[in-house]
Amino acid sequence: MFKKSFYIFLLLLSFSVKANFLLLPMDEVAQKNHLKAYGITYWALDKQYKASWLLNYRGGSFLLPDAAEIRKECQIRGVSFEVLSDGEMQSILEEISSPSQNMETVVLEKAPKIAVYSPPGKQPWDDAVTMVLTYAEIPFKVVYDEEVLSDQLILYDWLHLHHEDFTGQYGKFYGAYRNAPWYIEQKKEAEALAAKLGYPKVSQEKLAVAKKIRDFVIGGGFMFAMCSATDSFDIALAAEGVDICEPMFDGDNSDANYQSQIDYNKTFAFKNFILDRKPEHYEFSDIDMTEKRRIPFEKDYFTLMEFSAKWDVIPSMLCQNHTQLVKGFMGQTTSFDSNLIKSNVLTLGKNELNDEARYIHGQKGKGFFTFYGGHDPEDYQHRVGDEPTVLDLHPTSPGFRLILNNVLFPAARKKPQKT
């Protein structure tokens, strides 16, 4: 009891001498705009306010000090909040700290510096993360190959990988789009950039970028990838020193029997995968489940795993939501074959019908990575040229919440994972 009372006393001191606090509820009923609530929390941290994340309490609510400018910002952005007295706040913290409750309080210490790896000229709606960061009003910087290769990642805490192809095969769009002007132009631009940076092939330049990102994570960075940036990143690392590109991609033949030369020890998440050798096939390997899926649209949901908030704080943070059932969505890499995921990687979200993982997380060196399958959580089957998603129509999106969990993750004071 003394330990619990002392902790609550310290938390009270860490906020303010004021008696009131603001709760940003994150349950389904009370919060009008879940996505912008993350932005308010980030904004408060950036203003040097203290904040806490109340794991599994009303959908993973945020606790902030009661300040006039925070109230005003919530009102401007349309974020629901509740004013708590000192006594009400203490009562909530006591409930959370009870051993009988699967809840925990996590102190958020600083606003992480965020970078989005994305080609020049891309619009915010081309990528779900860029889109939701913009909507939530969370600041970020766009970086690409030149910045990564010149070691500028040390300036950031968190890096998102755009739906990129790190293998040098131009997204495997060759079959359907090789005569499209945009494909021809993007290939030309990628070759010019590789040459400018001193690489004879795009595949070699992209491998160098992937290795810099790997080192960023090993050194303590947080990396979040979606869609084809997930499996193509691991494939590029595993194929280091091996030519897996056919002539239409890099001008010469691939190495004979290159599959036998793949080194799975170099990957972050995947093992024992078989590469797809067909240049006209819109697929990198058998990691992706897109073509193996037999799930009707109306049943395409995945379930977030439940973890002990007091013992497994990290996966609990990443799974905070107002529902455990999240609507599925497709992408070039929609989901991951569970049999090809390394045993030290946690599955956070899974579709049991198809034995596919949608959302996975792991640690590499001192840092962390999260892979999230699919392109856009509110666009079921996004295609080239489709209209952008309007997030004003989806302010409570559970699928987009998972992205923002990862954005705030580096702000948290970490505790060692116990299981």
Side-chain angles (χ1 to χ4, degrees), residues 28 31-35 321-322 378 391 394-399 401:
E28 189 170 7
Q31 184 52 256
K32 293 184 296 187
N33 198 314
H34 291 88
L35 305 185
N321 225 307
H322 49 282
E378 293 298 337
L391 281 179
H394 309 282
T396 65
S397 168
R401 274 199 68 179

Side-chain angles (χ1 to χ4, degrees), residues 53 156 197 200 289 335 346:
W53 200 346
Y156 304 98
L197 295 172
M289 295 290 287
S335 54
L346 283 174

Side-chain angles (χ1 to χ4, degrees), residues 17 41 115 139 146 180 281 300 398 407:
V17 294
T41 304
E146 291 183 83
H281 190 207
D300 196 353
V407 172

Side-chain angles (χ1 to χ4, degrees), residues 23-300:
L23 181 78
L24 307 189
M26 296 295 278
D27 53 306
E28 189 170 7
V29 176
Q31 184 52 256
K32 293 184 296 187
N33 198 314
H34 291 88
L35 305 185
K36 286 187 179 288
Y38 287 90
I40 290 289
T41 304
Y42 185 98
W43 178 88
L45 289 170
D46 199 41
K47 293 280 187 179
Q48 307 301 312
Y49 287 105
K50 300 294 183 182
S52 284
W53 200 346
L54 309 183
L55 303 186
N56 293 344
Y57 178 79
R58 294 179 64 181
S61 300
F62 298 107
L63 187 63
L64 303 172
D66 184 12
E69 63 175 341
I70 297 179
R71 287 196 190 198
K72 181 179 179 181
E73 202 66 27
C74 287
Q75 291 163 349
I76 290 171
R77 301 191 193 188
V79 173
S80 308
F81 65 90
E82 299 171 9
V83 181
L84 303 178
S85 68
D86 177 41
E88 290 171 324
M89 195 273 287
Q90 286 192 57
S91 177
I92 289 171
L93 293 179
E94 286 178 357
E95 177 187 353
I96 290 171
S97 65
S98 169
S100 66
Q101 297 293 332
N102 184 22
M103 300 178 186
E104 183 61 294
T105 302
V106 174
V107 177
L108 302 179
E109 298 184 306
K110 66 168 188 173
K113 293 181 175 64
I114 297 171
V116 172
Y117 175 84
S118 181
K122 290 290 182 181
Q123 299 300 317
W125 51 81
D126 289 325
D127 172 61
V129 174
T130 312
M131 185 163 57
V132 76
L133 287 172
T134 302
Y135 180 75
E137 300 178 56
I138 295 175
F140 62 92
K141 295 288 187 181
V142 175
V143 299
Y144 202 50
D145 294 354
E146 291 183 83
E147 290 81 4
V148 172
L149 292 174
S150 60
D151 293 318
Q152 292 186 36
L153 290 184
I154 62 171
L155 302 174
Y156 304 98
D157 302 302
W158 191 89
L159 173 69
H160 166 58
L161 303 184
H162 193 80
H163 44 88
E164 186 76 11
D165 175 6
F166 291 96
T167 70
Q169 298 176 92
Y170 308 105
K172 294 293 289 282
F173 284 113
Y174 177 79
Y177 297 105
R178 61 182 176 271
N179 295 318
W182 66 263
Y183 178 89
I184 295 168
E185 185 61 27
Q186 285 187 11
K187 185 173 184 293
K188 186 189 302 181
E189 289 174 354
E191 290 169 344
L193 179 58
K196 176 184 175 182
L197 295 172
Y199 295 90
K201 293 184 179 184
V202 171
S203 59
Q204 293 173 3
E205 188 257 332
K206 289 298 181 185
L207 171 63
V209 170
K211 289 168 68 176
K212 287 287 188 180
I213 295 171
R214 174 202 64 193
D215 295 344
F216 163 76
V217 176
I218 290 172
F222 301 79
M223 186 260 274
F224 177 82
M226 285 188 73
C227 203
S228 58
T230 57
D231 49 354
S232 76
F233 177 80
D234 259 13
I235 290 168
L237 293 178
E240 181 180 2
V242 184
D243 189 343
I244 65 172
C245 296
E246 301 304 328
M248 65 285 299
F249 300 127
D250 67 353
D252 59 21
N253 292 323
S254 60
D255 288 348
N257 300 316
Y258 63 62
Q259 181 65 51
S260 64
Q261 301 176 63
I262 299 301
D263 187 351
Y264 303 110
N265 293 316
K266 294 180 178 179
T267 65
F268 276 30
F270 303 115
K271 63 179 182 179
N272 303 332
F273 50 84
I274 305 299
L275 300 181
D276 191 304
R277 297 191 68 110
K278 300 174 183 175
E280 70 280 358
H281 190 207
Y282 184 58
E283 196 65 271
F284 294 106
S285 75
D286 59 348
I287 294 170
D288 178 36
M289 295 290 287
T290 300
E291 295 183 356
K292 295 181 275 188
R293 308 180 89 230
R294 298 294 181 269
I295 305 171
F297 170 78
E298 63 275 7
K299 294 184 178 180
D300 196 353

Side-chain angles (χ1 to χ4, degrees), residues 312-327:
D312 297 323
V313 179
I314 290 172
S316 294
M317 275 191 283
L318 299 179
C319 288
Q320 290 303 290
N321 225 307
H322 49 282
T323 176
Q324 274 193 282
L325 203 60
V326 181
K327 184 173 61 176

